[in-house]
Amino acid sequence: MATALDPQQRPNSYRTGPDEHGHFGNHGGRFVAETLMPNILELEAAYNQAKADPAFQAELDSWFKDYVGRPSPLYLAQRLTDHLGGARVYFKRDELNHTGAHKINNCVGQILLATRMGKKRIIAETGAGQHGVATATVAARFGLECVIYMGERDIERQQPNVFRMRLLGAEVRPVKSGSRTLKDAMNEALRDWVTNVRDTFYIIGSVAGPHPYPAMVRDFQSIIGTEARAQIQEKEGRLPDLLVAAVGGGSNAMGLFHPFLDDAEVGIVAVEAAGDGVETGRHAAAMTAGQPGVLHGMRSYLMQDNDGQIIEPHSISAGLDYPGIGPEHSWLKDVGRIEVAVATDAEALEAFAICSKLEGILPALEPCHALAEVTKRAPAMRSDQIIIMNLCGRGDKDIYTVAEHMGVRL
Amino acid sequence: MSPTRIERRFADLQKEGRAGLITFICGGDPNPQAFQAILAGLLAAGADLIEIGMPFSDPMADGPTIQAGNLRALAAGMTLARLLTQVTAFREKDKTTPVVLMGYYNPIHRYGATRFLDDAFAAGVDGLIIVDLPPEEDEELCLPALEKGLNFIRLATPTTDSARLPAVLGNTSGFIYYVSITGITGAASPVADAVGDAVAHLRRHTELPVAVGFGIRTPEQAAGIARIADAAVVGSALVEEIASRVETSKADSAELIGAVHARVRGLAAAVRAARKDSAEPGA
Ligand SMILES: Cc1ncc(COP(=O)(O)O)c(C=O)c1O
């Protein structure tokens, strides 16, 4: 069996993982079909080489700056802070990125790698459509063929993003299997990859999947935390007391958290989607209510029944509607470095309203889950304490969902 | 360790100078009762080895046909524990036909790997094919399974080049399963020449029997494979037979079971005759 990391045993650094086999403690690994293994190993080698190449880093930085629009601001949400009456709340504003979410950070990194590897065809899975739009965007810019897998149910509830992807020249393939949502889109993307493995690059959209994806996507998203760390030092002269981010697969959260993991004074909370409430069983809270399992190439906390069959997740937010979670989060939870909280659909909608009215920002429903947690924590903190929340996406894509819940017809 | 049923069966086939037929059906498809009856008649219909899918909600390496078979079985209440009970019942009557369980790791992980290996061995299971456990994860299940006396059968694929092959063959036992296409089950049919070259390549690196599967549907295709490999694996075509009966005849069980067995008889006859009409038997 894989070597267990004693939860009591604190590592010297939380930032050195994964090991050479892609394990974060008991989580991670490479649980894929043999057809994919040569590709996975090739990808790992190519990524390691790129990571060590200053020219690749310089190229990435330049795309971040001129195409994505980085650095994203660190913004003091003063009216929200006054309203909550406690800690000072900062938003890391990745919703201002090109395409409207943090997903583009990872897509730029992976497409640069794909072109270095000479791949001609790009595939991706998408739930909310944000990762699909970001992938279609970079594929258009780099002139590569692009196929996006999306569950039929998600296609229905995220029509604007489906149209965006088509405008960008991508083919959106509806997935009719299983629950017809994100997990099934990922199954179908893996099936495509197995079939077209030689010329195809699979851009996974979160810190999930087989090694090296969780580490690679984390590295590309870590620009969020790296910037935030420098920005808060500049604005406040010190590190924050608390970081809060929503987790679907976990990429926006890991991007913010990772550069702070070894700062013991910084508390960290990952917020899972509780859907109708964890107690109802209709949720997407893998770390809160799941057990370790193996899906999509990794071991991690997973929503499953006693027979190891995957349970359909539920969340108002298509981007959080996933039964698993990236393996590094599972490990950080096991060793006690992060706390895991939950927010229900109703709490996320309430946070959506507060943020829109007080700050003039329509947030995506995903970070609304993080904001719901902020509204619970900030009032109990002192006014000289600091929270940084990852506002990782804008809400334009969600206005139809929100309208439906308000009983408004658009 | 004494030879396993799989090793003995391939030794017997070699003596007979013919290739074997391996049939694949999803455990519990279309329902546990009908499945038990299908299982019981496979040997008489001509199957030499029996491969049973362990149903899983998310079979990532399978096409629509086998995905649907998995879901039919799950909807009918199939579980891994129940499958082991059914293998036990099968084994009480049939002491020699090898049974290989094929599937994905999560149901086993949840059951508990050690407990699963104990129960599978006790039930009379002979080998395991776990699609999402590559050699890189051998400590999970492969090494404990070998220790227990079960065969661990690995898939080699068209992407398995010479550099990769030693890793794939390393802890493989019983036989090696050559996946004849880069793709999922039930997709395109293999190109015979390419398969011949690949099998020859495998034989230069291993003494293990070579079975070939994925995309083999008709008796003619099975015969073609039987001329170059030690066994032909047929799955989607049988699962499709079940699916079409479930849809059309409202699952009259006797008819469905009979149709699956008839299909196996046709494949078995072709596999048995294959080397008789080729110029060089056993080549
Ligand atoms: C705005 C936004 N936030 C969060 C997520 C969830 O993904 P992750 O947990 O990887 O950040 C998504 C996914 O679509 C998203 O669009």
Side-chain angles (χ1 to χ4, degrees):
Chain A
M1 309 293 127
T3 45
L5 186 100
D6 179 2
Q8 303 311 316
Q9 180 198 321
R10 295 280 178 278
N12 292 330
S13 169
Y14 293 99
R15 305 185 63 218
T16 54
D19 70 14
E20 59 177 318
H21 302 294
H23 293 131
F24 298 94
N26 272 333
H27 303 281
R30 282 174 289 213
F31 296 89
V32 296
E34 180 56 36
T35 308
L36 293 179
M37 269 317 295
N39 242 39
I40 298 259
L41 296 172
E42 180 198 6
L43 174 63
E44 186 188 350
Y47 177 58
N48 285 339
Q49 205 183 44
K51 198 162 79 167
D53 180 356
F56 180 81
Q57 289 303 326
E59 209 183 350
L60 185 61
D61 287 346
S62 134
W63 282 92
F64 276 168
K65 178 166 174 286
D66 297 330
Y67 193 67
V68 177
R70 303 209 71 91
S72 70
L74 185 72
Y75 162 76
L76 174 62
Q78 187 64 58
R79 290 196 72 210
L80 179 71
T81 298
D82 294 345
H83 172 77
L84 296 174
R88 293 155 70 76
V89 179
Y90 282 86
F91 290 162
K92 178 61 176 163
R93 297 202 54 193
D94 259 51
E95 104 279 11
L96 293 176
N97 295 339
H98 179 39
T99 72
H102 66 292
K103 297 287 180 187
I104 190 86
N105 302 328
N106 168 47
C107 290
V108 164
Q110 288 201 46
I111 202 121
L112 289 175
L113 192 57
T115 51
R116 260 172 97 100
M117 293 173 73
K119 301 288 179 181
K120 300 276 175 270
R121 181 173 175 270
I122 299 294
I123 59 169
E125 84 295 338
T126 196
Q130 287 305 106
H131 176 58
V133 167
T135 303
T137 296
V138 296
R141 176 58 188 76
F142 285 79
L144 299 180
E145 182 192 343
C146 180
V147 174
I148 305 290
Y149 289 92
M150 188 167 185
E152 264 186 344
R153 265 220 352 250
D154 289 336
I155 287 183
E156 281 160 29
R157 57 178 169 170
Q158 302 284 341
Q159 273 298 326
N161 273 343
V162 175
F163 189 56
R164 271 183 201 114
M165 287 183 263
R166 292 195 169 128
L167 289 175
L168 290 160
E171 181 194 343
V172 180
R173 290 199 189 153
V175 175
K176 301 179 198 329
S177 57
S179 57
R180 297 173 294 129
T181 59
L182 181 54
K183 113 182 138 62
D184 310 285
M186 192 146 178
N187 289 339
E188 214 54 44
L190 284 164
R191 290 181 185 119
D192 180 312
W193 203 23
V194 167
T195 308
N196 303 294
V197 63
R198 290 190 174 95
D199 69 336
T200 297
F201 190 102
Y202 179 13
I203 300 190
I204 292 183
S206 195
V207 287
H211 178 64
Y213 283 99
M216 177 171 72
V217 176
R218 171 201 70 200
D219 292 347
F220 291 142
Q221 292 292 5
S222 287
I223 186 68
I224 301 172
T226 302
E227 286 174 4
R229 206 167 183 284
Q231 288 165 322
I232 199 71
Q233 294 271 21
E234 195 189 307
K235 284 180 196 285
E236 296 274 359
R238 68 180 186 89
L239 295 177
D241 299 279
L242 190 65
L243 304 174
V244 184
V247 290
S251 67
N252 87 82
M254 193 55 69
L256 176 64
F257 299 166
H258 198 260
F260 293 94
L261 287 177
D262 288 337
D263 300 311
E265 69 272 35
V266 179
I268 301 180
V269 188
V271 186
E272 298 191 299
D276 292 344
V278 170
E279 69 290 349
T280 67
R282 284 174 49 77
H283 59 80
M287 287 189 283
T288 302
Q291 302 80 27
V294 172
L295 183 72
H296 295 154
M298 61 182 171
R299 179 177 9 236
S300 200
Y301 284 99
L302 186 60
M303 292 172 57
Q304 55 184 317
D305 67 16
N306 289 332
D307 199 36
Q309 309 300 339
I310 310 307
I311 295 174
E312 304 301 349
H314 167 83
S315 170
I316 189 172
S317 141
L320 304 184
D321 211 349
Y322 182 68
I325 175 73
E328 193 165 10
H329 284 287
S330 290
W331 171 68
L332 289 169
K333 176 198 142 93
D334 284 355
V335 296
R337 179 60 185 101
I338 65 170
E339 269 180 80
V340 179
V342 294
T344 62
D345 288 355
E347 289 170 329
L349 283 166
E350 201 174 313
F352 182 94
I354 291 174
C355 187
S356 306
K357 296 221 170 95
L358 291 181
E359 294 294 342
I361 298 172
L362 296 184
L365 284 172
E366 290 82 10
C368 286
H369 290 72
L371 186 54
E373 180 67 14
V374 168
T375 65
K376 293 175 203 169
R377 299 238 179 185
M381 292 168 70
R382 293 189 317 270
S383 61
D384 62 344
Q385 291 187 297
I386 302 166
I387 298 176
I388 298 179
M389 188 203 93
N390 198 358
L391 188 55
C392 60
R394 66 178 85 130
D396 309 40
K397 70 181 174 63
D398 291 316
I399 58 170
Y400 298 90
T401 306
V402 173
E404 199 183 305
H405 279 265
M406 293 169 65
V408 176
R409 277 195 59 184
L410 295 184
Chain B
M1 247 177 260
S2 58
T4 64
R5 287 188 198 92
I6 294 172
E7 288 154 2
R8 275 181 269 153
R9 176 58 45 99
F10 274 106
D12 291 346
L13 288 168
Q14 178 136 34
K15 271 186 230 146
E16 286 178 49
R18 68 172 179 93
L21 173 66
I22 306 181
T23 56
F24 171 90
I25 293 175
C26 303
D29 182 24
N31 59 62
Q33 297 75 18
F35 169 73
Q36 184 88 58
I38 292 173
L39 187 58
L42 282 176
L43 178 70
D48 295 297
L49 287 87
I50 293 173
E51 211 180 288
I52 305 173
M54 295 175 278
F56 184 46
S57 53
D58 293 79
M60 270 115 40
D62 286 295
T65 302
I66 292 181
Q67 287 172 41
N70 276 275
L71 295 182
R72 274 194 301 275
L74 291 173
M78 196 61 185
T79 64
L80 186 51
R82 194 158 179 185
L83 179 57
L84 294 177
T85 309
Q86 295 199 306
V87 173
T88 306
F90 170 84
R91 201 38 97 219
E92 276 164 16
K93 304 221 170 78
D94 183 331
K95 308 278 186 221
T96 55
T97 308
V99 170
V100 175
L101 299 188
M102 177 164 186
Y104 298 81
Y105 187 38
N106 197 55
I108 295 172
H109 189 267
R110 186 80 174 125
Y111 194 98
T114 309
R115 186 179 146 231
F116 169 78
L117 292 174
D118 289 345
D119 292 358
F121 188 77
V125 170
D126 305 292
L128 300 173
I129 302 177
I130 310 299
V131 178
D132 52 357
L133 284 180
E136 279 71 9
E137 304 292 348
D138 269 357
E139 284 174 24
E140 292 285 333
L141 193 70
C142 171
L143 297 179
L146 295 176
E147 205 153 295
K148 186 87 210 168
L150 290 166
N151 286 131
F152 201 86
I153 297 129
R154 224 181 301 268
L155 309 179
T157 78
T159 63
T160 312
D161 57 18
S162 302
R164 178 75 186 156
L165 195 52
V168 171
L169 290 170
N171 290 316
T172 300
S173 68
F175 61 96
I176 179 100
Y177 185 145
Y178 182 66
V179 174
S180 51
I181 50 165
T182 43
I184 53 179
T185 54
S189 290
V191 181
D193 286 355
V195 175
D197 291 347
V199 171
H201 181 240
L202 282 173
R203 291 208 196 282
R204 284 197 290 279
H205 290 87
T206 181
E207 305 273 290
L208 288 171
V210 181
V212 175
F214 278 43
I216 304 171
R217 324 180 52 80
T218 64
E220 293 70 38
Q221 288 167 340
I225 296 296
R227 281 183 204 110
I228 48 182
D230 299 301
V233 189
V234 180
S236 291
L238 300 177
V239 178
E240 231 160 60
E241 189 69 52
I242 295 174
S244 71
R245 303 277 158 176
V246 168
E247 278 155 26
T248 57
S249 65
K250 289 274 170 270
D252 168 12
S253 281
E255 192 192 318
L256 181 149
I257 294 157
V260 174
H261 289 152
R263 194 84 181 240
V264 172
R265 270 195 299 279
L267 291 159
V271 166
R272 279 159 203 257
R275 290 195 200 161
K276 291 192 183 130
D277 27 83
S278 70
E280 254 195 317

